[in-house]
Amino acid sequence: MLRRLFRNPVLRRILAALATLLGVAVFVFIMLRAIPGNQITAGLGTEAAALTPAQQQALEAYYGLDQPLFVQFFSWLGNIFTGNLGFSSRAQQSVAELTAQSLPVTLELAIFSIVLALVIGIPLGMLSASRPDSPRDAFGQVVGLAGLSIPAFLLATTLLAWLASSFGFNPNGQGYAYFFDNPWLNLQQMLLPSIVLGFGIAAPIMRTTRTAVLEIRSNDFIRTARAKGVPPRRLQVKHVLGNALVPIVTMTGLQFGYLLGGAVVVEQIFSLPGIGRQVLLGIQQKEYALVQSTVLVIALAFVLVNLLTDVLYRMIDPRVRAA
């Protein structure tokens, strides 16, 4: 009976997701405490050296640092299961409230970036694959290589400085505006970071599209469809691109998951109060609960994106559905 349950692909993926989240929780807990200093030294700076032993002990008891590590870990994990993600003494807010404010910012940025990357990457990949080793293929390869090679922080800084100095365009300097408060300003503030991230993500999507399209075009059913007189546009969209979607969806899902936690540099440069910036500030202040809980939320979002990607596979490709 138990063996039959483990053969269920849905159950296996759920168990793998739970194991991943537990591994992330253990890893971030250990890594945070491997960094020199703690919340007391981060908050007081050099004044921490003037604390008396009694004051030091009182502060350690207040922050829970006087307990053994395994007690700290399971106490934090137990609070997570009750919905208590912790409290940020810097912001004087609960981690749940901070995450509810910052996660939509990162999600909006990730969605805009992915849409832009798909609009650039898929057509460019198909254009390159239409005539391998031609000038158009070389152009696509150069654009893809540039997207992979140019660091996001360099492109972001250059673009922001050029537009601000040449055209006076710097909407991110006005303080972040949430979409429902000021849609027009919000879209302006998301434009530049979305271009920076979308350009970098378009490169792997373009290369994946090119490889998948070239592989599909070499199959016999494409030659048969062409011999039967299927119009070129329909052949490219329905038969070639339709069968190349699985690797494209895979790459898109991976890149979207990366954006949820990996956009911290771009968020910092453009002053976006996203979840990556929240983790960065938490690390600087040694706020263990803030960093641990936020990283776990990012990991959960990544796992959910991967599960959604698996669902999309099965909708797109009957062969995956039958496996």
Side-chain angles (χ1 to χ4, degrees):
M1 180 67 180
L2 190 60
R3 184 178 296 179
R4 185 178 300 173
L5 284 174
F6 278 103
R7 287 178 181 173
N8 188 314
V10 176
L11 180 61
R12 285 204 309 269
R13 292 186 185 281
I14 292 175
L15 291 175
L18 292 175
T20 300
L21 292 175
L22 180 60
V24 169
V26 173
F27 178 79
V28 71
F29 182 88
I30 294 173
M31 290 303 295
L32 276 175
R33 282 151 183 81
I35 301 173
N38 54 37
Q39 196 165 349
I40 299 171
T41 57
L44 297 177
T46 57
E47 296 179 6
L51 293 174
T52 65
Q55 291 172 328
Q56 182 76 22
Q57 291 175 3
L59 286 172
E60 287 179 354
Y62 175 77
Y63 289 115
L65 301 177
D66 59 332
Q67 299 175 346
L69 289 181
F70 73 91
V71 174
Q72 293 182 39
F73 176 76
F74 285 106
S75 174
W76 165 63
L77 209 58
N79 288 333
I80 291 291
F81 284 114
T82 63
N84 179 11
L85 302 183
F87 186 81
S88 170
S89 56
R90 173 188 56 82
Q92 290 298 301
Q93 284 182 281
S94 69
V95 177
E97 291 174 339
L98 290 173
T99 303
Q101 295 169 8
S102 61
L103 185 58
V105 178
T106 300
L107 281 174
E108 183 184 359
L109 176 61
I111 290 170
F112 284 174
S113 302
I114 282 291
V115 169
L116 187 61
L118 290 173
V119 169
I120 297 172
I122 291 179
L124 196 59
M126 294 192 69
L127 184 69
S128 294
S130 63
R131 289 189 181 177
D133 302 321
S134 67
R136 68 175 65 174
D137 187 23
F139 171 75
Q141 296 280 25
V142 168
V143 173
L145 187 61
L148 292 171
S149 303
I150 300 175
F153 72 87
L154 177 62
L155 181 60
T157 306
T158 304
L159 191 61
L160 183 61
W162 175 64
L163 289 175
S165 61
S166 301
F167 304 98
F169 181 76
N170 185 15
N172 299 81
Q174 302 180 36
Y176 182 74
Y178 287 90
F179 181 80
F180 293 105
D181 295 334
N182 191 337
W184 176 238
L185 180 57
N186 175 269
L187 292 175
Q188 291 182 72
Q189 292 175 334
M190 284 293 176
L191 176 63
L192 295 181
S194 298
I195 290 174
V196 171
L197 291 173
F199 180 66
I201 296 171
I205 291 178
M206 172 266 166
R207 293 168 74 92
T208 301
T209 302
R210 180 183 181 276
T211 302
V213 167
L214 287 175
E215 182 179 350
I216 295 298
R217 286 182 61 197
S218 64
N219 290 338
D220 291 337
F221 74 91
I222 295 297
R223 287 192 286 268
T224 302
R226 188 179 290 114
K228 287 183 176 180
V230 176
R233 185 182 297 274
R234 184 182 176 190
L235 181 70
Q236 290 295 322
V237 174
K238 182 177 180 181
H239 296 279
V240 177
L241 183 59
N243 284 279
L245 280 179
V246 170
I248 297 172
V249 168
T250 304
M251 179 57 68
T252 303
L254 289 173
Q255 295 299 321
F256 188 83
Y258 154 76
L259 281 175
L260 295 177
V264 56
V265 173
V266 172
E267 288 178 354
Q268 184 71 9
I269 292 173
F270 290 101
S271 302
L272 296 178
I275 202 164
R277 197 176 182 206
Q278 177 174 305
V279 172
L280 180 63
L281 293 175
I283 292 174
Q284 291 172 348
Q285 296 296 320
K286 302 293 190 299
E287 293 196 287
Y288 293 153
L290 175 63
V291 178
Q292 291 166 182
S293 299
T294 306
V295 170
L296 204 58
V297 169
I298 294 172
L300 177 61
F302 191 88
V303 166
L304 292 177
V305 167
N306 278 312
L307 289 176
L308 179 60
T309 303
D310 289 342
V311 172
L312 289 176
Y313 291 164
R314 296 172 184 276
M315 293 174 60
I316 293 169
D317 194 339
R319 294 170 298 179
V320 178
R321 199 161 52 236

